[in-house]
Amino acid sequence: MAHKLWPVVIAWLALGVAAPAAVRAQAAPDTSLDAFVLALEAALQSGSTEAYRSLVSTSLSEDTAAAFADDLVHPDTTRAVVRERDRVALDDGGVRLLVEVFVEVGRRGRVATVGIELLREGAAPDDAWRIRQQERLTSVDGLYRLALDESRQFAVRDLVVRAEDLTLSLPRGVVFVAEADGGRTALVLLGEGRMLFTPRPPAERVQVRIFSGKETLDTPFTAAFIRLNPIDFPGRVSSVAFEEVTVDRRALARARDIFEQDAGKSFSLDLGDLSREPWSLVPGVGDFLAEVRTRRHRTLTYARSSSEPEDITLFDRQRRRNISVYPSLRRLQSRGPFYNEDDLADFEVLDYHIDAAYSPERFWLDGRAQLRIRVKSFALTTLTLRFAESLTPQSVVSDRHGRLLSIRVRGQNSLLVSLPTAESRGTVFHVVVRYSGRLEPPPPDREVVALEAGQANQSILADAPLIVPEARWLLTNRSHWYPQSSSGNYATGRLRLTVPAGYDVVASGAPATSNPELLPATETGERESRRFVFVAGQPLRYFSWLITRLVPSTSATVELSPAATAAGAAHRSALDAPSDGDGPFRMTVNELPEGPRGVYYTSTDVSVVANGRQVGRGRALVGPLTEILSFYGDLVGDLPFPTFTLALVDAELPGGHSPGYFAVLNQPLPTSPFFWRNDPVYFDSYPHFFLAHELAHQFWGQAVGWKNYHEQWLSEGFAQYFAFLYAEAHRDPGVARDILRRMNRSATTAGNQGPIWLGYRLGHIKGDSRIFRSVVYNKGALVLHMLRRLVGDGRFFEALGRFYHESRFRKVGTDDLQRTFEGVTGWSLERFFERWVFDQGTPTVFYRWAVADGGASLSVTFEQRGAVYDVPVTVTLTLASGGEVEHVVPLTEATTVWTVAIDGPVRQVSVNADHAALGSFERR
């Protein structure tokens, strides 16, 4: 994750204006109005008050005209730009213009949005337009065309730059500066210095060790670029000597190169057609950035961003890898270790209506998205929407405020839109964004087995592939193909998706019975197209769609068992949810920030579609598909979506993607040159594993979401464990044992890479997604298995059902899971989750056994060395008669003595032979 510009600093940069109350129609083209806009631009460019006043009607009050002139007309103006954004005819023959004004004075800039009412002075059509009313709606000051001061060079001795957990030391060197707001806001350091980064959290020290070989990053640097607020300069920068010296041309040339390369990477705005030059903001007080050019690791970026939930980051700029991401001490003290992305958002989107047309061959997307927004903050002035940078917003319009203007921050997939007046908490309004641009689908995510080194059959690669996979395009939340809330909160939606004729679409939502609708070509040379409609009545975290050629394969219906239906009703009753009889059950919309829980269903209509080569496989999979979905629904007492579509697609590697309402399942071609037997999620004894895993995501990951990236195991670990539960219940016992053995082996191998809590960052530094799957998938599943064995099946599945229904269409975390299980069991599980989720270690256990009471009993003594874990282990007694007896023994103390009555001689005692517990178990 690249460094982000501080939203708290730039939140007010998107500009907007209200629509006029009395309008006649959209104003017709009028070249004289264009001439007026040019005249206004020339007047501002001249810096002449008289030039501006020549455009003002005599009906405009002197005070209003003078105030506007004082506001935007400056005698030292370097450049002025006026762009018309909207034009509306008024009832009395006048015209209201919405213009955006950019004024540059030296290296300082200002943007203002101005509403201007014009009326011709005179009756003739060619009479000039004059300003009869004007209003500055919003303005932005503090924009700087940041420039290095090339006239001054400083020699420094024992220079030290400090931020939390970071020290940059430069015994002797050279410094150049750039100023803004009357102080130093940027520095270029040249010389042989040393960078010392010592992250406070233990898990972050492990990541630093993976990156650099040691838990403290201690590395030489040759140059550094620093950004900070001038107020923070004295507290951040100290030096025994800071002496101005004669400028050295070679040093200046190097400093200039560094400044030009690094200054635009952060705090940089895209002003569009107002200015093509880079413009910057001054960092907020307390914010800090350092681009450090090290000898060993190239450029490393340290950032302290007060608007981020985890406000300290260390980023490998060259390889685009996060090394460390964590909250500062101040943030941790004020917020605690847990946070919900939605709780930090100023607004939520309740519903999306999206019209999108995609041309796969050109990767071209045209879209229109209507967002129904509810305000969560006490005063909302800016919308920050997640939106692909490659897409261009053509207009942003609100039902309450009319046309709004937007602005982008360079290097971010975000769109900032400002409201002319603050909206209060609970207000609901609509925003419509029209957009277009080139958008390529993102690379496969971690649900797809990644190609690692040595995983290709060279003999096959040497020849041309015999079968080319059917082309497909998958647009997901990772591609930001529609404007959406920055937190990705749950929302309902309606999608109308158009593709060229010959292609099919599967998307988030229940498909309309009219799909597809054939649309004739509107222009000569155009192709016919097909439109597909999908309605997501259940809340979703995001919307995805698949474009490819598909053939219907088969369909079926999945129904809950009567017992599961009753269990689900009992959980809902416990939540004080009203029921409306035999029909679909709808929860009430709670007060902020709870939101809806959606509709409860007792059946799901299932369909299978496939690429042409996969139709037969689709027919064969309908049985396992319905059996697995039915099993999962019975476990939790719910089927979260009324319809579900499984799309089987050609692929080189197995895996899939499972947004709400549908799943894409990769089907490797027989000529695929790749092999994946060493992948941690490959189970050759369980051929339906990928199907079972993806189906489980309809419950875990979709119906139940995770509140930040740390909690991703609540999706992946739960999906992995549900796939195991199905194998345990419906396959030979040896299959379940084999799965546990493989999970244990991969989780143990990758155990030193970090705790489950790190989420996507596991393996991120190495670029090895197998580490992520080993820990988040497999260790996460084993943690659930150990929890089940610790509390017992009855309590486990009762708590699991309760957690699911409490969390349905919510974002939750490990603390919520712990609270639910503690409520059901009455036990404190703090140590269990602390050790297994937040720490990365495993227990070291020594055991010994002895026969007592004249051979009537057997005792096993367990000793945990180091940290004590709550871990249930299987003790297997091999009897002299040849039989075996298994017992589950919970180890919760440093020393545990377990005794069992025996009937006959015991030949051998084995511990954890089934690999159901993580840890090292050795006999002494």
Side-chain angles (χ1 to χ4, degrees), residues 107-109 111 140-145 269 271 279-281:
R107 293 192 172 276
R108 187 161 183 153
V111 177
V140 178
D141 291 307
L143 306 182
Y144 290 90
R145 190 152 49 85
L269 303 180
L271 298 184
W279 288 87
S280 296
L281 287 169

Side-chain angles (χ1 to χ4, degrees), residues 680-681 712-713 716-717 720 743 745-759 761-763 768-783 836-837 839-840 918:
V681 297
Q712 195 171 358
W713 82 281
E716 300 297 353
Q720 193 81 335
M743 285 182 176
R745 182 178 62 190
S746 67
T748 300
T749 301
N752 64 349
Q753 301 296 301
I756 291 174
W757 180 246
L758 279 184
R761 294 174 52 207
L762 288 155
D768 186 350
S769 62
R770 290 174 297 183
I771 296 171
F772 170 82
R773 290 193 290 278
S774 294
V775 179
V776 174
Y777 282 53
N778 289 346
K779 184 178 179 181
L782 284 169
V783 167
W836 291 116
V837 177
D839 293 345
Q840 70 176 46
L918 287 165

Side-chain angles (χ1 to χ4, degrees), residues 4 34 44 66 101 110 112 243 305 319 330 356 372 387 409 504 509 535 592 602 610 630 663 751 783 787 852 864-865:
K4 293 183 177 180
D34 298 336
L44 297 180
V101 178
R110 186 185 191 200
E243 177 184 2
S305 170
R319 298 193 305 140
R330 177 178 295 180
R372 185 160 63 98
F387 191 50
V409 182
D504 298 279
V535 178
L592 289 169
T602 59
S630 178
V783 167
L787 179 60
Q864 294 196 49
R865 302 287 176 87

Side-chain angles (χ1 to χ4, degrees), residues 73-274:
V73 181
H74 196 286
D76 297 325
T77 296
T78 308
R79 182 166 54 118
V81 179
V82 179
R83 293 286 183 263
E84 180 185 341
R85 301 307 190 193
D86 202 12
R87 179 185 300 188
V88 180
L90 303 179
D91 288 338
D92 59 0
V95 173
R96 181 178 175 92
L97 297 184
L98 172 67
V99 297
E100 192 171 31
V101 178
F102 174 70
V103 177
E104 179 181 346
V105 179
R107 293 192 172 276
R108 187 161 183 153
R110 186 185 191 200
V111 177
T113 303
V114 182
I116 302 175
E117 286 190 14
L118 302 176
L119 192 67
R120 293 186 187 275
E121 291 196 338
D126 57 350
D127 283 341
W129 292 98
R130 291 291 181 267
I131 301 171
R132 70 171 181 184
Q133 191 57 262
Q134 60 193 9
E135 179 185 10
R136 177 174 57 80
L137 300 167
T138 55
S139 65
V140 178
D141 291 307
L143 306 182
Y144 290 90
R145 190 152 49 85
L146 202 63
L148 198 66
D149 185 349
E150 299 185 359
S151 66
R152 306 177 72 190
Q153 174 178 325
F154 298 92
V156 295
R157 180 161 57 88
D158 295 330
L159 176 71
V160 179
V161 180
R162 289 187 175 88
E164 187 169 332
D165 296 341
L166 174 76
T167 302
L168 301 177
S169 303
L170 186 63
R172 292 183 181 276
V174 170
V175 174
F176 289 85
V177 302
E179 295 190 348
D181 273 355
R184 294 166 179 170
T185 184
L187 297 84
V188 176
L189 280 56
L190 303 177
E192 296 295 328
R194 183 161 293 277
M195 174 183 184
L196 186 67
F197 176 67
T198 309
R200 181 188 69 261
E204 300 301 333
R205 293 199 294 269
V206 171
Q207 298 308 296
V208 170
R209 173 177 55 76
I210 292 170
F211 176 75
S212 68
K214 296 182 179 180
E215 291 192 351
T216 293
L217 178 64
D218 187 349
T219 185
F221 72 84
T222 58
F225 174 77
I226 309 293
R227 285 299 308 272
L228 74 172
N229 189 286
I231 294 176
D232 294 328
F233 186 90
R236 297 279 192 200
V237 183
S238 62
S239 175
V240 171
F242 207 98
E243 177 184 2
E244 186 170 354
V245 296
T246 303
V247 175
D248 178 80
R249 292 194 175 187
R250 293 178 61 185
L252 174 61
R254 187 178 176 213
R256 184 189 297 124
D257 287 344
I258 292 171
F259 184 87
E260 290 176 353
Q261 291 180 40
D262 292 345
K265 293 177 181 177
S266 304
F267 306 98
S268 182
L269 303 180
D270 183 356
L271 298 184
D273 59 354
L274 292 174

Side-chain angles (χ1 to χ4, degrees), residues 31 40 61 271 317 450 517-518 533 616 664 674 869 877:
T31 55
L40 177 61
S61 72
L271 298 184
R317 179 74 70 175
E517 177 188 358
L518 185 63
V533 176
V664 180
F674 308 115
Y869 285 72
L877 307 182

Side-chain angles (χ1 to χ4, degrees), residues 537-538 572 578-588 597-603 638-642 808:
Q538 298 288 72
R572 297 196 294 272
S579 175
D580 60 2
D582 297 331
F585 174 85
R586 180 178 293 278
M587 298 291 291
T588 58
R597 292 184 187 271
V599 176
Y600 284 90
Y601 295 95
T602 59
S603 66
D638 179 50
L639 291 168
F641 302 107
R808 195 172 186 265

